[in-house]
Amino acid sequence: MIWTINMNFFPCDVKGNAVNCSDTQLDHVPLFHSKNVTLLNLSNTKIRRLQLLSFQGVPNLRTLNVNCIPSCQVLKPYTLEIDNDTFTTLKKLEKLSLYGNSLTSLPRLPKSLKHLDVRSNNIFHINSLKAPNLEILLFSKNCYYANGCKQSFHISEDVFKHLPKLKNLTLGYNNLITVPKGLPATLEHLDLKENTITEIPNYTFENFTRLVYLSLEWNCQRCDHAVRPCFPCPNDASLQLNSKSLFSQNSSIAYLSLRGNSLRTFPKGLFTPLTKLRRLDLSDNFLSAEIQNGTFFAELKKLTWISLIYNYEPKLTYPELNLSSHLAEISGLHTLKLTGYFFVKLSDDSYKVLSKLHNLTTLDLSLNFLHSCDMTALSTLPSIRTIDVSQNMLKGVSLCREPHAYPHAEPLFVQMEGEVPTVEYSPQRDLPNTMPDKETEFLTIANFRKKICNNTLTFNVSANDILFLDQDVFKGMENAVCVDLSFNYMNQALKNGFFTNMTKLAFLDLSYNRFDLYYRGAFSELKNTLKVLDLSNNDFHFNLKGMGHDFEFINDLTELSALSLTNNHIGMRISKTLISSSLNYLYFNGNHLGIMWETDNYNYNNFFQNLTNLTHLDISDNHLTQILPNIWCNFPTSIRFLKISRNQLSSFPWQNLSTLLHLEYLDLSHNRIHVLPPTIEFGANLSTLDLSSNWIASTPDLFFSNIKSLRSLYLHSNQIKEFKHETFSVHLKNDSTLGKLTLHWNPFRCDCHTAWFADFLSKTTIEIPHLTTLVQCGFPESQQGRSILRLAGQSSCQDQYGELAILLSTLLCLMLTALPLLNHLYSWDLWYSLQVLWAGYRGYSQIAGSDSKHHYDAFVLFDTKNDAVRDWVYNEMIWHLENTEHRRFSLCLEERDWIPGLSCIENLHNAVYKSVKTVFVLSGGADTANGVIRQAFFMVQQRLLDEKVDSAVLVLLDDLFPKLKYLQLRRRLCKRSVLSWPKNPKAQPLFWNDMRMALSLDNLKFYDQKMSEGFV
């Protein structure tokens, strides 16, 4: 069953009787009304208060989650307020989770409640908790250093009297100083870790006959290698244990953790009552002496798993490890962890002790500074399957020693050839009924390790100091099925002869080294057994310029099923083709196919062609900018799963896609594809296509008509704004097998044109992850961030604008009918009326020489001593303004129109005040300090102040005129009253047209409305 959309519960998802509102922007509990809802998830929302009637519409609710995960607490710190009787109305509520809400107290709880989670709150004390049916109480992280609690958490004994059915109790991280009293005898799981308990008195757990899990870890903490705030007991004392601390007449404890309690020894008889104990964690203590000489192992005869990691003595490395002889008495032990003890080698007596553990399958000796280890001796342990000596200081030649002679040694562990797990992947296998899953179908090297190495002899020798590989390194590992030699930085060329005695090796990890792959004889001894080979991160020699590499050894490994060449920067001077008839998986990501497949380089066009049984190929992160059709057509036709993600592909050979007949899964995510072709032939078997994280803005019309075989389509994180209604919804409704479609993180357009899309999303049965939370609007800006589902049920554009369109078309028809008729009957009347209206709009101006007080249209001022300016005024300006067929302007000139006998100042005053405009003709070579021009300028300014008339017009004949502040201000305030004589003769008609406009109209009409206020 998948999450679907029911608009009655929007913006929440629905799955059967469960409603999921998590990770939404809800700030209040939605008013749902349904008696069928049994689960409601309100985690990670903006809800700040739960009121009495918040859940009245869901009376049959059984599970309620109102959690705030740690990231929610950081991003949205708040305190959730809960009315005291909010939950008592839910008579059937069984599970209530209030994780991380900064609660300081608990409201009243319904009597039906069985599971209560109030971890990570600020509740420092509990005096009452009336929930008689409660079985699970999770109460950790309420009173500890992270939330500022500087007191001891208090829980009253009376609380547990009202919890007769309690089975699981977690009280970790609560500053408890003692084990709470009055705990019910019904407990099966008790967690008291990370408190400040200093002593476990005798008979503390006497009455807990059903207790199966008990954790007392990290109470008296060991702090010399702590990664978090550490709180040791006073004087760095150990947790005080007494001989009867764990006593119970009929103890059922199967798991016990005493980790991190600074323990150095155990009182005799401590573990004797624990007859059913199977797993014991004693990590992070100071038990180095007990491990070597302790007798407590004799009390653990039925133990199957024990962890003794990090029990080292500070600043001390033992020459050898001497395991206590009593360890051999744990006959059923199958897992022994001894990480972080710090010793140079195992003593002979330790080998003897280990040899007596007939059921030991896993031995962990990692991170111990081992310098030598007898692999032969370890491999002879009767039931051993996994030996981990990683993160030590083994150096290869000294890695192995002569085998020990054990008086009680069992025959050498021999695994028959038939017991080696087989990994076969037929390209013709039947498809499963369910949708392909990326994580399970495309196995990783770790998946192969688990598949092959589970319950087979495995050696982990990674992260040591082995600098050179030879036969001695494998001494004692002859029967190994899996060997891990990664992170040793071996720097050498691989040749034949290294693996001569490895007759059963099926899994070999040589990653993170510096092997030179040049000789064909490499791994030749493993040709009939090796199934998985990891050569990833061996890039050292591939980065050396001019050095050649040969992959012919792959052809000789006839059983090889999986090969990893990841992150080797392979790009040139290598074999032109890979040849193998057995290889199913090839991991080639993190290399340089972009160089190998350059347009002018055809050497590697057939690089993968001869891998005839290849089914899974990963060529991600190869700096590919294109894949030419001839290269694509040379891929093995057996490929079923292909990853080409994290490249720079802007195009793809879609037209050749169907040539891979068996292709089921294609990953093109995290590329730069922005255009899809009009039609794509996907092929009959393609079921999963990943186009996420590209630059796709739209899908072609026929794109969804050809996806009949697809079951999963990933289109999230693109630039898609909308789909076409005619193609999208029709093809996804009719005969479509699509079961999963991702659309989140696309900037969808949200208006009436896409309302159909919201309706489709709200009703479709296709699984669309993050539909209610991350499928959001990107356009228009007012809708950004809103869920596209909010458009569901709204009218389409046709419905919204249909009536308006009918009205407008009717009016248009009437106008087209009436206008010709009016034109025929009243054309002259209409023309006359329009002229009158236009004249009223343009205003009235008197003709020069009439009753107007202005005798001239313009008074022209210029430097009369400048011949060039005089010539321009008399030959250009007067001719264009007074003598043309256009409107003739009456100009006033000093030399022509002033009255003789009057003083200069009187003539100047008459010329300025009897002219509509005053034109200043300015030039760089003119006398700008001329007295007449200066006085005229002052009069124009005075006229502006007195009459509120701006009559100034400036004409600049060249660019040499100084950039005066007045001129710059004038251009900013009234740009059309400042004219410049154009240098291009073809632009002169435009100049004279602007001049006529400047002389005809009031300057106030030209003012910049944003800047004119305050000047006029």
Side-chain angles (χ1 to χ4, degrees):
M1 186 180 293
I2 61 174
W3 290 105
T4 57
I5 295 298
N6 184 331
M7 294 308 295
N8 293 327
F9 297 97
F10 180 79
C12 306
D13 298 325
V14 180
K15 183 179 181 181
N17 295 329
V19 178
N20 182 18
C21 304
S22 61
D23 299 301
T24 62
Q25 300 298 311
L26 286 174
D27 56 7
H28 64 279
V29 179
L31 296 177
F32 300 142
H33 294 279
S34 174
K35 294 183 179 181
N36 297 323
V37 175
T38 59
L39 184 150
L40 177 59
N41 188 357
L42 295 172
S43 300
N44 303 328
T45 63
K46 294 184 177 181
I47 296 174
R48 299 293 185 269
R49 185 177 180 184
L50 301 180
Q51 297 178 322
L52 177 62
L53 302 179
S54 292
F55 306 104
Q56 63 175 348
V58 284
N60 296 320
L61 200 63
R62 296 181 181 273
T63 301
L64 175 61
N65 298 327
V66 193
N67 300 321
C68 182
I69 60 173
S71 61
C72 164
Q73 293 173 344
V74 173
L75 296 176
K76 299 176 289 185
Y78 71 97
T79 299
L80 180 66
E81 297 180 6
I82 305 176
D83 291 356
N84 196 40
D85 292 319
T86 296
F87 303 125
T88 56
T89 58
L90 300 173
K91 303 299 182 181
K92 298 182 179 180
L93 188 65
E94 296 180 354
K95 182 178 180 180
L96 175 61
S97 184
L98 299 171
Y99 180 100
N101 285 297
S102 301
L103 299 176
T104 57
S105 62
L106 285 176
R108 293 177 59 190
L109 302 174
K111 294 182 178 181
S112 59
L113 195 65
K114 295 181 179 180
H115 181 121
L116 176 61
D117 184 356
V118 286
R119 291 173 295 169
S120 296
N121 283 286
N122 296 328
I123 303 173
F124 298 163
H125 56 84
I126 303 178
N127 295 320
S128 177
L129 194 65
K130 296 180 181 179
N133 292 301
L134 195 65
E135 297 179 0
I136 299 175
L137 176 57
L138 308 180
F139 218 92
S140 58
K141 294 188 177 181
N142 270 276
C143 180
Y144 72 122
Y145 62 87
N147 63 2
C149 180
K150 298 181 179 180
Q151 65 186 63
S152 175
F153 177 75
H154 172 73
I155 184 167
S156 174
E157 291 186 41
D158 294 336
V159 171
F160 300 111
K161 292 181 180 180
H162 299 93
L163 303 177
K165 298 182 180 180
L166 190 63
K167 296 179 180 179
N168 187 330
L169 176 61
T170 64
L171 291 172
Y173 296 89
N174 277 311
N175 287 345
L176 289 171
I177 59 175
T178 61
V179 178
K181 296 181 179 180
L183 295 176
T186 55
L187 282 179
E188 298 176 0
H189 184 289
L190 178 58
D191 187 350
L192 296 172
K193 65 184 175 185
E194 292 266 5
N195 284 290
T196 56
I197 300 172
T198 58
E199 181 183 5
I200 307 297
N202 285 329
Y203 306 107
T204 299
F205 304 102
E206 180 181 12
N207 298 322
F208 300 104
T209 57
R210 300 182 185 179
L211 191 62
V212 176
Y213 177 98
L214 176 60
S215 175
L216 296 170
E217 61 189 45
W218 298 109
N219 275 282
C220 289
Q221 299 180 9
R222 174 177 182 168
C223 298
D224 58 318
H225 70 300
V227 296
R228 294 186 303 178
C230 189
F231 306 94
C233 284
N235 301 319
D236 291 328
S238 305
L239 175 66
Q240 185 175 345
L241 297 172
N242 302 297
S243 59
K244 300 293 184 180
S245 292
L246 303 176
F247 177 81
S248 177
Q249 191 66 41
N250 296 304
S251 176
S252 299
I253 296 177
Y255 177 90
L256 173 62
S257 177
L258 295 173
R259 181 179 185 181
N261 281 304
S262 304
L263 297 172
R264 296 183 179 275
T265 185
F266 298 107
K268 188 175 182 180
L270 176 67
F271 301 108
T272 302
L274 307 182
T275 56
K276 296 182 180 180
L277 187 63
R278 297 294 181 268
R279 295 172 67 89
L280 177 60
D281 190 349
L282 298 175
S283 309
D284 297 283
N285 285 291
F286 295 99
L287 295 172
S288 56
E290 285 288 295
I291 292 173
Q292 298 192 52
N293 305 307
T295 61
F296 74 95
F297 292 114
E299 303 171 8
L300 302 168
K301 294 182 179 180
K302 294 187 178 180
L303 205 65
T304 61
W305 182 95
I306 187 170
S307 175
L308 298 169
I309 66 175
Y310 297 114
N311 270 284
Y312 65 92
E313 284 292 330
K315 301 181 181 179
L316 178 62
T317 300
Y318 292 97
E320 61 181 12
L321 170 63
N322 294 296
L323 291 174
S324 173
S325 60
H326 295 282
L327 180 63
E329 299 182 36
I330 312 178
S331 58
L333 191 66
H334 63 69
T335 300
L336 175 59
K337 292 182 175 292
L338 277 168
T339 299
Y341 187 84
F342 301 161
F343 57 93
V344 175
K345 64 177 182 179
L346 278 167
S347 67
D348 293 346
D349 291 336
S350 295
Y351 285 108
K352 293 179 182 179
V353 171
L354 293 174
S355 69
K356 297 177 182 179
L357 298 173
H358 297 276
N359 293 301
L360 187 66
T361 59
T362 302
L363 177 61
D364 187 353
L365 298 174
S366 59
L367 194 59
N368 275 302
F369 303 128
L370 276 171
H371 284 70
S372 64
C373 183
D374 191 345
M375 294 297 186
T376 303
L378 294 179
S379 65
T380 61
L381 298 179
S383 301
I384 198 68
R385 292 294 182 271
T386 302
I387 300 173
D388 189 347
V389 290
S390 61
Q391 302 179 77
N392 282 292
M393 302 176 71
L394 302 176
K395 299 184 182 299
V397 176
S398 60
L399 177 64
C400 305
R401 299 168 50 190
E402 291 300 319
H404 293 264
Y406 304 146
H408 302 286
E410 295 292 325
L412 182 68
F413 169 73
V414 177
Q415 183 167 359
M416 301 302 294
E417 182 69 26
E419 294 179 337
V420 177
T422 58
V423 183
E424 297 179 358
Y425 301 91
S426 171
Q428 305 298 332
R429 70 176 181 175
D430 295 333
L431 284 171
N433 293 327
T434 57
M435 289 189 298
D437 184 81
K438 292 191 288 187
E439 288 73 22
T440 57
E441 288 290 340
F442 209 120
L443 300 179
T444 64
I445 292 295
N447 297 136
F448 282 106
R449 182 193 297 266
K450 184 176 181 180
K451 197 176 186 74
I452 295 177
C453 304
N454 187 30
N455 202 32
T456 59
L457 186 57
T458 301
F459 286 86
N460 186 352
V461 201
S462 62
N464 276 278
D465 292 341
I466 305 173
L467 301 179
F468 192 80
L469 191 66
D470 57 19
Q471 292 186 30
D472 290 338
V473 171
F474 299 102
K475 195 170 183 180
M477 305 184 198
E478 290 82 2
N479 292 305
V481 176
C482 302
V483 174
D484 186 348
L485 287 167
S486 59
F487 290 97
N488 276 285
Y489 299 101
M490 291 175 274
N491 191 352
Q492 66 186 103
L494 285 174
K495 301 179 182 179
N496 61 338
F498 292 159
F499 307 95
T500 302
N501 299 320
M502 307 298 290
T503 58
K504 295 180 175 63
L505 190 61
F507 180 96
L508 179 59
D509 188 349
L510 296 176
S511 60
Y512 292 95
N513 283 287
R514 293 183 172 185
F515 287 116
D516 178 13
L517 304 175
Y518 184 76
Y519 296 97
R520 178 167 184 170
F523 310 106
S524 59
E525 307 89 340
L526 306 175
K527 62 181 181 180
N528 295 323
T529 61
L530 190 63
K531 300 182 183 300
V532 179
L533 176 60
D534 189 351
L535 291 171
S536 62
N537 296 282
N538 277 269
D539 58 315
F540 179 77
H541 289 279
F542 290 103
N543 287 328
L544 298 179
K545 294 182 179 180
M547 195 166 183
H549 312 279
D550 197 338
F551 291 122
E552 292 186 359
F553 69 89
I554 299 175
N555 189 30
D556 297 330
L557 300 176
T558 57
E559 295 296 321
L560 188 65
S561 178
L563 172 63
S564 176
L565 295 171
T566 298
N567 297 330
N568 279 314
H569 299 171
I570 300 171
M572 58 182 64
R573 294 186 177 88
I574 58 175
S575 304
K576 294 183 179 180
T577 183
L578 302 179
I579 304 175
S580 175
S581 59
S582 64
L583 194 65
N584 300 134
Y585 276 77
L586 176 59
Y587 306 90
F588 204 76
N589 48 303
N591 289 295
H592 289 292
L593 282 174
I595 296 176
M596 297 169 61
W597 288 346
E598 288 179 342
T599 306
D600 57 349
N601 185 3
Y602 55 83
N603 285 336
Y604 302 103
N605 287 1
N606 303 324
F607 189 63
F608 299 116
Q609 186 175 25
N610 293 319
L611 300 175
T612 55
N613 204 30
L614 188 67
T615 58
H616 294 70
L617 176 62
D618 187 352
I619 54 174
S620 304
D621 193 19
N622 264 276
H623 307 282
L624 288 167
T625 57
Q626 61 177 347
I627 299 179
L628 298 176
N630 58 326
I631 295 177
W632 177 267
C633 293
N634 286 328
F635 277 24
T637 57
S638 58
I639 289 180
R640 294 172 48 237
F641 288 77
L642 180 58
K643 288 187 176 183
I644 322 179
S645 64
R646 301 189 183 279
N647 286 285
Q648 291 92 45
L649 292 175
S650 58
S651 61
F652 186 76
W654 296 103
Q655 68 276 15
N656 304 105
L657 182 60
S658 58
T659 58
L660 299 184
L661 302 176
H662 304 290
L663 188 64
E664 301 173 17
Y665 171 81
L666 177 60
D667 184 356
L668 291 170
S669 62
H670 294 90
N671 279 285
R672 299 177 181 177
I673 299 173
H674 57 278
V675 176
L676 296 175
T679 58
I680 302 176
E681 293 297 331
F682 288 107
N685 294 315
L686 188 65
S687 59
T688 302
L689 177 61
D690 192 343
L691 292 171
S692 61
S693 299
N694 279 280
W695 298 352
I696 301 172
S698 61
T699 55
D701 293 347
L702 300 179
F703 180 79
F704 291 98
S705 64
N706 298 323
I707 63 171
K708 295 183 178 181
S709 64
L710 278 184
R711 299 179 182 179
S712 300
L713 177 61
Y714 300 89
L715 293 174
H716 61 273
S717 300
N718 278 284
Q719 299 297 318
I720 300 174
K721 294 181 178 61
E722 62 179 312
F723 297 102
K724 291 192 175 181
H725 188 191
E726 298 78 10
T727 57
F728 182 85
S729 59
V730 173
H731 293 299
L732 291 187
K733 287 180 180 178
N734 301 331
D735 302 327
S736 175
T737 61
L738 194 66
K740 184 176 183 179
L741 175 65
T742 65
L743 297 170
H744 54 281
W745 296 129
N746 278 292
F748 287 111
R749 174 183 171 188
C750 293
D751 54 25
C752 60
H753 294 283
T754 55
W756 68 267
F757 185 51
D759 291 333
F760 171 83
L761 294 179
S762 65
K763 298 175 182 178
T764 183
T765 58
I766 299 174
E767 179 185 0
I768 303 178
H770 311 293
L771 177 55
T772 60
T773 54
L774 298 180
V775 182
Q776 300 175 344
C777 302
F779 300 95
E781 187 175 352
S782 59
Q783 300 293 323
Q784 282 185 0
R786 301 186 66 188
S787 174
I788 195 172
L789 291 174
R790 294 184 180 275
L791 295 179
Q794 294 187 11
S795 302
S796 65
C797 290
Q798 182 176 358
D799 296 334
Q800 290 185 18
Y801 303 120
E803 295 180 0
L804 180 60
I806 293 175
L807 178 61
L808 292 177
S809 60
T810 302
L811 291 175
L812 181 61
C813 291
L814 292 175
M815 288 176 61
L816 294 177
T817 304
L819 287 176
L821 182 60
L822 293 174
N823 181 58
H824 178 70
L825 297 176
Y826 306 106
S827 58
W828 188 91
D829 301 86
L830 289 173
W831 175 85
Y832 180 78
S833 299
L834 289 175
Q835 291 297 321
V836 172
L837 293 174
W838 178 249
Y841 171 75
R842 291 291 302 271
Y844 174 76
S845 59
Q846 290 182 329
I847 300 176
S850 62
D851 295 336
S852 173
K853 66 178 181 178
H854 300 116
H855 295 173
Y856 302 100
D857 291 311
F859 171 39
V860 181
L861 277 163
F862 59 95
D863 185 5
T864 57
K865 298 179 180 179
N866 189 317
D867 295 336
V869 177
R870 284 171 56 87
D871 180 69
W872 184 85
V873 171
Y874 285 107
N875 296 324
E876 290 286 346
M877 187 175 186
I878 292 177
W879 188 85
H880 281 92
L881 296 180
E882 291 187 342
N883 301 324
T884 60
E885 296 179 355
H886 298 284
R887 174 186 171 183
R888 297 187 177 186
F889 291 89
S890 176
L891 303 181
C892 177
L893 301 178
E894 175 186 352
E895 297 176 333
R896 186 188 70 179
D897 299 308
W898 281 15
I899 299 175
L902 289 178
S903 64
C904 180
I905 192 67
E906 287 181 300
N907 275 311
L908 181 60
H909 179 273
N910 293 334
V912 170
Y913 280 89
K914 290 184 178 181
S915 299
V916 178
K917 297 292 179 71
T918 301
V919 180
F920 296 88
V921 180
L922 306 175
S923 174
D927 183 8
T928 58
N930 184 290
V932 174
I933 297 177
R934 180 182 294 271
Q935 288 298 325
F937 177 77
F938 290 148
M939 288 183 181
V940 169
Q941 297 303 311
Q942 187 64 37
R943 186 178 180 188
L944 176 61
L945 296 174
D946 295 340
E947 301 178 9
K948 305 298 183 183
V949 175
D950 185 0
S951 61
V953 175
L954 307 180
V955 178
L956 305 179
L957 295 182
D958 52 43
D959 298 332
L960 300 177
F961 193 79
K963 295 183 179 180
L964 303 176
K965 291 185 179 180
Y966 172 80
L967 182 60
Q968 295 176 358
L969 178 62
R970 186 76 184 181
R971 280 178 169 168
R972 184 64 60 89
L973 182 64
C974 186
K975 185 177 181 180
R976 296 183 65 175
S977 67
V978 181
L979 307 177
S980 297
W981 177 247
K983 296 180 179 180
N984 187 353
K986 294 183 178 181
Q988 291 177 8
L990 179 61
F991 170 83
W992 293 117
N993 184 67
D994 292 340
M995 174 64 78
R996 294 187 187 93
M997 292 289 292
L999 297 181
S1000 300
L1001 300 177
D1002 188 352
N1003 281 355
L1004 296 180
K1005 295 183 179 181
F1006 299 150
Y1007 272 49
D1008 188 339
Q1009 297 301 317
K1010 296 180 179 179
M1011 303 183 63
S1012 62
E1013 185 176 356
F1015 287 93
V1016 180

